[in-house]
Amino acid sequence: MKDRWLPVGVLAAVFFLINVIARLVIQFGFEDDVEAADRVSLIMFGVIGLILAVIAFVYARRQPVARWGGDVAVAVLGAMALTVIVGPFISGSYPFANGAGEFFSQIWLYAGFAGAGTLLGFLLVTALGLDYRSQSLKRYAETKLAKPRRVVRR
């Protein structure tokens, strides 16, 4: 049980740590500059998407999607909940300080970048033919071709 959920928790913690770093950079470096704060937030979402693309690429080579997809989804949902609910308290605010629109736009941005990053990594590994299923089919075809043809006599 621990072997399955520890990586999920670590991944969620890494994503939340990225958010904390972005919030601290905004708070100490760009407190009054809204445009720069938006850029830092987009960079944060981009980094999360890039990390998920790499994770999807690596996991898709080793395991079927049904095995790793749920784990990654739970990690992303956990990190997203921490980011939108706990994250604002780090920068001295609260979740709905800028209104419900800002709150939900943060959720949509997080989900969009996370989904796009995961999809990009998975599509890349599939296009290269390195995913778990393609490799299984390749091994199956090689074993079928390696057997000699059976001759049937009448």
Side-chain angles (χ1 to χ4, degrees):
M1 187 78 153
K2 179 182 175 186
D3 294 335
R4 173 115 190 230
W5 293 110
L6 183 65
V8 173
V10 169
L11 185 59
V14 165
F15 290 153
F16 182 64
L17 181 65
I18 291 169
N19 177 261
V20 168
I21 291 169
R23 287 184 187 274
L24 292 175
V25 166
I26 291 170
Q27 184 177 5
F28 294 120
F30 307 106
E31 188 171 349
D32 297 330
D33 192 0
V34 176
E35 195 172 305
D38 289 343
R39 278 194 219 116
V40 171
S41 294
L42 284 176
I43 290 170
M44 174 202 68
F45 289 129
V47 168
I48 289 171
L50 184 64
I51 289 172
L52 281 167
V54 170
I55 287 172
F57 189 90
V58 170
Y59 278 179
R61 292 187 73 175
R62 299 181 191 163
Q63 303 168 352
V65 177
R67 170 70 175 87
W68 63 266
D71 293 350
V72 170
V74 167
V76 167
L77 289 173
M80 182 176 18
L82 286 171
T83 296
V84 298
I85 295 171
V86 177
F89 293 113
I90 293 170
S91 56
S93 184
Y94 56 95
F96 290 101
N98 296 329
E102 181 74 24
F103 178 81
F104 288 110
S105 73
Q106 198 173 29
I107 290 174
W108 286 114
L109 279 170
Y110 204 104
F113 275 88
T118 305
L119 187 63
L120 179 69
F122 179 70
L123 289 177
L124 184 62
V125 77
T126 303
L128 295 174
L130 299 173
D131 62 312
Y132 183 81
R133 186 166 189 259
S134 296
Q135 292 299 315
S136 296
L137 290 172
K138 180 180 173 185
R139 284 189 298 275
Y140 175 75
E142 287 171 353
T143 59
K144 283 298 182 186
L145 290 175
K147 292 181 183 179
R149 187 173 167 203
R150 190 175 147 187
V151 178
V152 179
R153 298 183 189 206
R154 292 184 189 200

